[in-house]
Every structure is written in C-alpha cells, then in structure tokens.
Amino acid sequence: MNATIDVRVSRAFAASPEAVFDAWLDPAWLGRWMFGRGVRAETVLHLQTEPRVGGRFSFLVERQGQRIDHIGTYLEIDRPRRLVFTWAIRGESDDDGSTVAIDLTATPEGCMLTLTHTLPAQWADYAARTQQGWTTMLDALRRLF
C-alpha cells in the first residue's frame, strides 16, 4: 500500500446536512463558494458535474492567465451523510490516488462537516497549502448559509 497523508478541515454550519451536501454537487452552488471571484482572483470557464457514483466532474478556471482543470470521479454518494471523490489537476496529478471525503453529521444548530483529503506521500509538501485551500472554500460556503 502506498503511503498517504490526511489533511482534515471541519466546520459547523447553520444549515441542514441535506442543504450543505447538495452544495457540493450543484454547479450553481459550486460557483458561489468553491470557485470564482467570490473566493479568489479567477474566472470560471465551466463547472460540470455528473453526480452519480462513477460520474465525473470538471471544474475549469483561469488564474493569472493559466487554465486549471480540477477533475475527479464520484466514488461514494450517500446523501446527506457522505460524499467521496477523487481530486486531481488535469495534466499535473491525473489519477494519482488523491481522494476527498466529506462527512456530515446533524447537530442541533445544523450540521458539522469534516473534510478529509487523502494525498499521496509525494504531495506532502503541499499539505499546508491544501488545508488552506479547503479552509478558504469551506469558510466561503459557511458564509452562504
């Protein structure tokens, strides 16, 4: 088995697990918190999802004149508890074994989301940057609720 590193970020949301879960699969929602000018200096070129197990996604953005296509495959969709998908940058880390798991638990105030990004050991130098990226995105998502 290949060595991996887990990056974890948790956030409480004042929204139902269903609402937060759905925000991960709907391109209109993704463009409000994961990508776009509201999150960082970039232009969204497309946000395409095929939200079924085995379905793929492509989130193509342009940053500083460079096109970056975040791609992956949905591995597990258990609404509203768990979402698991591969995560890669087309041309840089295609199919390198990077996965993201989103776990949601209902709370009296809404829900708790725990994101675990499992990175192959060769990406260890990017763990802090990965954690900061997800932190920025989850904070943007939380502001929407």
Side-chain angles (χ1 to χ4, degrees), residues 5 12 14 17 25 33 36 48-50 52 65-67 71 81 86-87 94-95 104 108 115 119 128 135 137-138:
I5 301 159
L25 299 175
W33 68 270
Q48 300 170 344
T49 64
E50 188 181 358
R52 62 173 181 79
Q66 180 183 8
R67 287 183 174 212
I71 58 171
R81 293 179 261 327
T86 63
W87 184 262
D94 303 81
D95 299 323
L104 292 155
L115 178 149
L119 297 163
T135 296
M137 289 184 270
L138 292 181

Side-chain angles (χ1 to χ4, degrees), residues 108-120:
E109 300 78 26
C111 68
M112 176 62 72
L113 180 151
T114 300
L115 178 149
T116 305
H117 191 157
T118 302
L119 297 163

Side-chain angles (χ1 to χ4, degrees), residues 49-135:
T49 64
E50 188 181 358
R52 62 173 181 79
V53 173
R56 299 193 50 82
F57 63 81
S58 169
F59 307 143
L60 181 62
V61 298
E62 187 171 311
R63 283 184 210 143
Q64 300 170 339
Q66 180 183 8
R67 287 183 174 212
I68 304 166
D69 194 6
H70 303 82
I71 58 171
T73 301
Y74 296 107
L75 303 175
E76 186 178 341
I77 299 177
D78 179 14
R79 182 180 186 267
R81 293 179 261 327
R82 186 166 169 84
L83 177 66
V84 181
F85 49 89
T86 63
W87 184 262
I89 305 293
R90 188 180 308 277
E92 285 182 30
S93 61
D94 303 81
D95 299 323
D96 69 356
S98 175
T99 60
V100 177
I102 308 300
D103 290 294
L104 292 155
T105 306
T107 64
E109 300 78 26
C111 68
M112 176 62 72
L113 180 151
T114 300
L115 178 149
T116 305
H117 191 157
T118 302
L119 297 163
Q122 75 253 27
W123 295 101
D125 291 347
Y126 291 90
R129 193 167 110 187
T130 298
Q131 185 170 34
Q132 182 55 53
W134 287 119
T135 296

